[in-house]
Amino acid sequence: MTLATVYAFLTFATFPIPDVISAIDPTKGLKLTMIVYYFLWVWGLNHDTDLQELVYATAPAEGKLRPSDKGVIVLIILVSLSLVWAIGSERRFAAILTMFIAVNVFAWRWLLAAIGPAIVESKEIYRTAPQDFFSLERLDAFVEYISGHWQWLRFGAMGLVLLVLNAVVFFDNARVFLASTLTQLYPKISSGQFSAILPLGLFIVFTIIEEGWIWIMRIKTDLVIAVTSDLEEKYELRPRS
């Protein structure tokens, strides 16, 4: 274990990080990160749609799209396309990314209101004799995933990164200060190199927070559903008296 740690440290210490940083094209890096971001985002939407089909006893709005649903979907699509268009300008990209997340939060709150009746009705059905406690556990796991306090913590962390990103692209002094601070922490990379990749680096951090955090919670929820579904085939579940 010790030898492996030493080897890893020496490998990292001799890795030509400054050369790699210099070779990075911020615009191309932003486009690549955007592709990954959109892929995870769309995949997540499909995952959540499938997840809801597994936990509800009755579909929200009888499974039909209401005019308000279509309006929110159109809004999300328009802002998403604007984000792609904005890649050529750091300031434009930061501003529209902030708008995109604001729309994201709005859509999340709208979703909670839209699915609320289906959740309440499903709980009542599952609690009615013969009670279906396995389905109730799956529904509770989904509710924690979709509306848990962790969502606000996640949005808060994303907002903090966006605040730094906007400060960096709109205020030169903030960019110079942050780049200089990073150079003091890691002198092998010049402040100019840090300055060039700051927007890209912050967007990567933003993507990791947004998509990494939510995918961890999705996997956790999927595990609950998989385990309860497996147990349901073998056992009966009753509450403690």
Side-chain angles (χ1 to χ4, degrees):
M1 181 67 179
T2 303
L3 290 176
T5 303
V6 172
Y7 176 77
F9 173 77
L10 292 175
T11 301
F12 179 78
T14 57
F15 188 78
I17 296 179
D19 295 337
V20 173
I21 296 295
S22 298
I24 293 176
D25 183 328
T27 301
K28 291 181 180 179
L30 198 61
K31 290 180 180 179
L32 179 60
T33 307
M34 178 65 71
I35 291 173
V36 174
Y37 176 71
Y38 269 132
F39 172 77
L40 292 173
W41 186 65
V42 173
W43 186 16
L45 289 178
N46 291 331
H47 171 278
D48 291 353
T49 300
D50 294 338
L51 188 60
Q52 291 182 67
E53 293 178 356
L54 294 174
V55 299
Y56 293 145
T58 58
E62 299 180 348
K64 300 177 181 178
L65 286 177
R66 300 165 298 180
S68 59
D69 301 337
K70 296 177 181 178
V72 172
I73 292 172
V74 170
L75 177 62
I76 292 174
I77 292 174
L78 289 177
V79 178
S80 301
L81 293 176
S82 298
L83 195 57
V84 175
W85 165 76
I87 287 180
S89 167
E90 291 180 351
R91 292 184 174 182
R92 192 167 56 208
F93 179 79
I96 294 182
L97 180 61
T98 303
M99 185 188 306
F100 178 74
I101 296 308
V103 170
N104 202 339
V105 174
F106 165 77
W108 171 59
R109 299 305 299 176
W110 161 83
L111 174 65
L112 294 184
I115 66 177
I119 291 175
V120 172
E121 186 175 353
S122 295
K123 284 189 175 183
E124 292 176 352
I125 292 174
Y126 293 147
R127 286 172 176 162
T128 302
Q131 296 166 314
D132 188 348
F133 293 109
F134 281 109
S135 293
L136 192 58
E137 285 297 318
R138 287 190 285 269
L139 181 60
D140 286 342
F142 170 74
V143 171
E144 171 60 24
Y145 159 69
I146 202 68
S147 62
H149 180 65
W150 71 272
Q151 289 274 18
W152 286 116
L153 296 176
R154 170 173 163 266
F155 282 124
M158 291 159 56
L160 181 60
V161 176
L162 283 177
L163 183 64
V164 177
L165 174 60
N166 279 276
V168 163
V169 300
F170 283 101
F171 302 100
D172 293 338
N173 290 339
R175 188 167 192 154
V176 171
F177 172 77
L178 183 55
S180 299
T181 301
L182 292 173
T183 297
Q184 292 177 9
L185 295 174
Y186 193 77
K188 290 184 178 181
I189 301 178
S190 68
S191 60
Q193 288 176 305
F194 271 125
S195 179
I197 64 166
L198 272 177
L200 171 60
L202 287 168
F203 182 55
I204 291 175
V205 172
F206 174 87
T207 301
I208 292 173
I209 292 174
E210 179 178 357
E211 293 302 321
W213 197 334
I214 198 170
W215 272 104
I216 289 173
M217 298 304 295
R218 283 176 178 139
I219 292 171
K220 178 182 176 181
T221 306
D222 288 346
L223 286 174
V224 172
I225 291 176
V227 170
T228 53
S229 297
D230 184 60
L231 291 175
E232 188 175 19
E233 296 178 357
K234 304 174 183 177
Y235 306 100
E236 291 183 1
L237 183 65
R238 296 187 180 91
R240 292 180 179 178
S241 56

